[in-house]
């Protein structure tokens, strides 16, 4: 498939899922009525559409695009298809940062305190991963480092929530580890957007560098690509998008694994093309997952991570199987 | 063989039941002298009804100002943490527990030969009255309990439910609300209000999606406690869409209607006053 056609197709898919996402909810509003209420002020109905369903759909796009993009970027840099923020502990670390900020009250001190705390923790995790696995490092080192970081971050998140004076906090360990978009508002969109947007810009600018890197480090250096700058942008970019996404929606895993895996053959394995395609694909996948949790178990707040793991784990196992045969 | 055993088993079971009834009757006759309560609601009922010195310990929850309406009274009793070992060492002759207390703890105490009484949570105002009388009978304080229960019934008569009252909804963390078959649901009705959850056919408690709350447009929104620290569960209470509701707001502390105690009628009175405001 030609690249512009693929991007158009993915954008259309996103748009369709976005509209569908606005039409699904417990109130069971007729589609036509829902869309007119969105555009024209019709009291409570408009409130439901604009303040409840719209921010949820927008967040699904933002979170999905962020996770798809960060997966594609990390995989391009590490040249390893297993590098995904959820699997290697970046999301879990971001959740830890967010939980610490919320429970210490730091998150309430200024508007961006929450995403910046998640960003800091996520950035630390990315740096650790790069140190432990290194560019072009083995899959084994990458996954083992990821397992250790995920486990530690997950345990500390549980600890912080268990120590909280808030009786509801301990029940939310599953939210932070699995992610959900239920009852998010525009306050969450505005919290996440500035940090996320910075990350998008940084990651989107990586295309040429990652293309060069796919030929090897020496080739990339001879093309005039500064690997240290590339690495710095990657770390900050991934930390920004994963931190901001996790701070408002919890840690949603596997998006950054599944989407690049499916799209890579369609873009001729070129990182510069995979980046935008993965962003759109991630948005479509999270929109679809968030639609499914509302359709499958409407009143249970089924977590996004549950669905993503069902889709993602088989892909992950398949990748490991393939890697095992080549190594 | 199997059919031959069956009557024997039934006979044995019946015998056991008779024995336990006999034990209960004996217990009612001679009032227990060392009573330990391990459940927030039995704590408070027992403190209201027990004779001086009869109640040895209440649970630590009774000292929690968010959960308990009798913090000062609870401070006069040693606190327990509902663990079998510490309870056994208190050498009680009666342990008061809730029907949702840890069954492992209760069966351990029973194996050690201690009498355990389990109280159902009060799912309505009738159950409050029955609970007072039941507690009185167990503690051998029947006349005191009867007086309290009669007073409760008399005060309750002042409140009437009605069909066309304003629409109220309790709304707390996670979008939780209570409908028919719950104490708070009945308290709302007794105040002459209609309860949104009940009109939507919800039994007991459950989650009411924010969308549905907005579209139902209640007249009165009943909020609960907020807790320190942060939780995603409580974020829904600060959702911008909620502030657009034109409903009148009232806060009822959880402790005031968590347990089936006589003072739930104070909550009825407060809600009835809100209703008069609305009408």
């Amino acid at each position: 498939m030609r690249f512009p056609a693929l991007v158009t197709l993915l954008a259309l898919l996103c748009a369709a899922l976005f509209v569908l996402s606005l039409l699904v909810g417990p109130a069971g509003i007729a589609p036509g009525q829902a869309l007119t209420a969105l555009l024209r002020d019709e009291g409570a109905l408009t409130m439901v559409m604009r303040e409840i369903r719209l921010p949820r759909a927008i967040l699904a796009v933002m979170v999905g695009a962020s996770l798809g993009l960060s997966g594609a970027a990390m995989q391009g840099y590490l040249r390893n298809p297993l590098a995904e923020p959820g699997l290697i502990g970046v999301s879990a670390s971001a959740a830890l940062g967010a939980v610490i900020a919320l429970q210490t009250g730091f998150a309430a001190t200024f508007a961006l305190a929450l995403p910046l705390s998640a960003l800091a923790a996520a950035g630390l995790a990315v740096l650790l991963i790069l140190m432990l696995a290194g560019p072009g490092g083995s899959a084994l080192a990458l996954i083992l480092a990821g397992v250790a970081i995920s486990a530690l971050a997950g345990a500390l998140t549980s600890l912080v929530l268990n120590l909280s004076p808030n009786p509801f906090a301990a029940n939310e360990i599953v939210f932070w580890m699995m992610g959900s978009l239920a009852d998010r508002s525009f306050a969450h969109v505005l919290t996440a957007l500035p940090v996320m947007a910075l990350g998008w810009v940084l990651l989107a600018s990586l295309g040429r560098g990652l293309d060069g890197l796919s030929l090897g480090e020496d080739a990339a250096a001879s093309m005039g690509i500064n690997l240290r700058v590339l690495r710095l942008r990657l770390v900050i970019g991934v930390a920004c998008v994963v931190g901001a996404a996790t701070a408002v929606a919890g840690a949603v895993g596997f998006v950054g694994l599944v989407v690049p895996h499916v799209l890579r053959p369609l873009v001729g394995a070129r990182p510069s093309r995979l980046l935008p395609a993965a962003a759109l694909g991630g948005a479509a996948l999270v929109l679809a997952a968030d639609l499914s949790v509302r359709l499958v178990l409407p009143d249970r707040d089924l977590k996004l991570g549950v669905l993503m793991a069902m889709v993602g784990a088989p892909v992950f196992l398949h990748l490991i199987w393939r890697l095992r045969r080549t190594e | 063989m199997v059919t031959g055993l069956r009557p024997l088993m039934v006979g044995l079971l019946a015998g056991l039941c008779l024995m336990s009834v006999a034990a209960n009757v004996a217990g009612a006759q001679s009032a227990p002298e060392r009573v330990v309560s391990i459940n927030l609601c039995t704590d408070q009922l027992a403190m209201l009804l027990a004779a001086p010195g009869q109640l040895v310990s209440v649970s630590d929850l009774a000292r929690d100002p968010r959960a308990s309406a009798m913090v000062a009274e609870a401070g006069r009793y040693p606190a327990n943490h509902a663990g079998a070992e510490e309870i056994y060492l208190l050498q009680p002759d009666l342990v008061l527990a809730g029907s949702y207390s840890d069954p492992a703890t209760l069966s351990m105490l029973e194996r050690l030969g201690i009498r355990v009484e389990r109280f159902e949570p009060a799912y309505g105002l009738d159950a409050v009255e029955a609970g007072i009388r039941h507690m009185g009978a167990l503690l051998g304080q029947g006349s005191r309990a009867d007086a309290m229960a009669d007073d409760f019934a008399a005060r309750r008569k002042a409140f009437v439910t009605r069909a066309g009252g304003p629409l109220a909804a309790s709304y707390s963390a996670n979008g939780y609300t209570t409908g028919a078959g719950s104490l708070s649901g009945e308290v709302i009705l007794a105040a002459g209000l209609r309860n949104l959850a009940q009109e939507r056919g919800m039994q007991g408690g459950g989650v009411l999606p924010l969308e549905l709350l907005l579209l139902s447009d209640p007249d009165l929104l009943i909020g609960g406690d907020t807790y320190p620290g942060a939780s995603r569960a409580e974020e829904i209470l600060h959702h911008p869409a909620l502030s657009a509701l034109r409903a009148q707001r009232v806060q009822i502390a959880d402790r005031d209607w968590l347990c089936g105690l006589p003072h739930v009628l104070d909550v009825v009175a407060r809600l009835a006053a809100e209703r008069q405001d609305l009408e």
Side-chain angles (χ1 to χ4, degrees):
Chain A
M1 197 186 301
R2 289 186 48 225
F3 182 60
L6 177 72
V7 170
T8 314
L9 202 70
L10 285 171
L12 285 176
L13 181 65
C14 275
L17 286 166
F18 186 86
V19 173
L20 211 56
S21 174
L22 290 175
L23 298 181
V24 171
I29 309 167
Q33 206 183 358
L35 293 180
T36 37
L38 184 65
L39 301 174
R40 219 174 41 216
D41 199 346
E42 289 181 2
L45 217 52
T46 298
M47 216 59 203
V48 168
M49 293 307 298
R50 287 188 191 164
E51 296 293 338
I52 297 177
R53 293 193 187 176
L54 189 59
R56 182 172 187 160
I58 290 176
L59 267 182
V61 171
M62 287 165 58
V63 169
S66 296
L67 295 174
L69 198 57
S70 59
M74 289 196 79
Q75 288 160 25
Y77 182 76
L78 290 167
R79 280 162 284 160
N80 187 325
L82 297 180
E84 194 266 336
L87 284 175
I88 58 178
V90 179
S91 298
S93 304
L96 174 62
V99 163
I100 290 175
L102 282 170
Q103 296 301 332
T104 54
F106 178 64
T109 50
F110 61 98
L112 291 181
L114 177 66
L116 289 179
S117 309
L119 180 160
L124 208 63
V126 182
L127 276 178
L128 263 175
I129 288 285
L130 294 190
M131 265 174 52
L132 291 167
S138 78
L140 189 68
L142 181 71
I143 291 303
L144 286 182
V147 166
I149 293 174
S150 296
L152 183 64
L156 290 177
T157 302
S158 304
L159 177 69
V160 172
L161 291 174
N162 274 311
L163 290 176
S164 167
N166 192 299
F168 300 105
N171 293 327
E172 284 163 14
I173 295 171
V174 60
F175 162 75
W176 288 107
M177 293 183 180
M178 287 286 185
S180 162
L181 290 170
D183 296 323
R184 306 279 84 182
S185 69
F186 269 114
H188 299 102
V189 174
L190 294 179
T191 305
L193 192 58
V195 175
M196 237 182 216
L198 174 66
W200 291 338
V201 171
L202 283 171
L203 292 181
S205 72
L206 292 179
R208 199 179 81 84
L210 293 179
D211 276 353
L213 199 58
S214 64
L215 303 171
E217 276 168 57
D218 294 338
S222 68
M223 286 165 69
I225 294 161
N226 186 336
L227 284 179
R228 291 185 58 180
V229 174
L230 182 77
R231 181 179 160 127
L232 193 66
R233 279 192 189 161
L234 175 86
V235 172
I236 298 175
V238 168
C240 280
V241 297
V242 175
T246 307
V248 293
V252 184
F254 291 112
V255 178
L257 182 83
V258 174
V259 172
H261 175 68
V262 171
L263 293 175
R264 192 169 289 117
L266 299 178
V267 296
R270 271 180 65 180
S272 60
R273 293 187 162 184
L274 184 58
L275 288 174
L280 286 170
L285 186 62
V286 171
L287 275 169
D290 187 47
L291 263 171
S292 314
V293 297
R294 280 180 280 171
L295 292 170
V296 178
L297 281 175
D299 25 275
R300 288 294 176 85
D301 188 17
L302 183 63
K303 301 291 181 271
L304 287 175
V306 176
L307 272 172
M308 288 313 308
M310 281 194 259
V311 178
V315 175
F316 183 48
L317 292 175
H318 172 69
L319 280 171
I320 292 180
W321 182 253
R322 245 180 30 192
L323 282 173
R324 207 192 65 157
R325 282 159 66 183
T326 54
E327 263 172 15
Chain B
M1 180 64 191
V2 174
T3 44
L5 259 179
R6 221 171 165 177
L8 185 66
M9 294 291 289
V10 170
L12 259 176
L13 277 176
L16 282 174
C17 290
L18 273 178
M19 276 162 63
S20 68
V21 168
N24 273 341
V25 170
Q29 278 164 358
S30 61
E33 283 161 17
R34 292 184 63 80
V35 179
V36 171
S37 168
I38 63 169
N39 169 278
L40 174 68
C41 295
T42 56
D43 288 342
Q44 298 180 75
L45 261 185
M47 285 190 283
L48 285 174
L49 291 170
Q54 189 182 21
L55 188 59
V56 178
S57 166
V58 294
S59 80
D60 53 343
L61 279 177
R63 297 179 176 203
D64 178 352
R66 289 182 189 276
S68 167
M70 298 176 67
V71 174
E73 292 89 337
R76 290 200 281 273
Y77 297 90
N80 69 69
H81 307 82
E85 185 173 321
E86 59 171 332
I87 305 225
Y88 182 73
L89 291 176
L90 290 169
Q91 297 179 306
D93 50 6
L94 172 64
V95 169
L96 302 170
S99 52
Y100 292 107
S101 295
D102 185 355
T105 306
L106 301 189
S107 65
M108 168 71 82
L109 290 171
E110 282 172 332
R111 266 176 51 202
L112 295 170
I114 295 169
R115 182 177 159 214
V116 176
E117 286 292 338
R118 295 164 177 80
F119 276 70
E120 282 265 309
Y123 292 119
L125 291 171
D126 288 341
V128 176
E129 195 183 322
I132 295 169
R133 293 190 205 275
H134 182 46
M135 180 63 82
L138 285 173
L139 296 179
Q141 310 291 335
S143 54
R144 189 185 298 185
D146 284 341
M148 189 180 285
D150 291 343
D151 177 56
F152 179 82
R155 279 177 65 202
R156 206 182 138 186
K157 286 207 182 87
F159 303 105
V160 278
T161 62
R162 39 171 126 175
L167 186 63
S170 63
Y171 210 63
S172 48
N174 279 325
Y176 192 81
T177 185
T178 47
S182 70
L183 181 60
S184 41
E186 284 207 3
V187 165
I188 291 170
L189 290 190
L193 296 156
R194 290 181 298 136
N195 184 6
L196 176 60
Q198 181 155 358
E199 306 216 329
R200 293 197 53 85
M202 292 171 73
Q203 275 295 324
V207 171
L208 180 68
L210 190 55
E211 288 189 8
L212 295 177
L213 179 72
L214 283 190
L215 294 179
S216 311
D217 195 21
D219 303 301
L220 182 66
L221 199 60
I222 306 168
D225 290 338
T226 51
Y227 291 86
S231 74
R232 184 178 174 276
E234 290 166 319
E235 276 182 28
I236 193 172
L237 303 176
H238 307 294
H239 198 291
L242 205 56
S243 56
L245 272 182
R246 51 159 201 92
Q248 188 168 306
R249 318 289 156 119
V250 59
Q251 296 290 120
I252 304 287
D254 292 348
R255 60 168 178 270
D256 289 338
W257 57 353
L258 202 54
C259 288
L261 301 169
H263 67 240
V264 292
L265 291 182
D266 300 341
V267 180
V268 178
R270 276 184 63 193
L271 291 180
E274 295 286 339
R275 188 207 69 218
Q276 275 163 3
D277 254 20
L278 282 165
E279 283 173 348

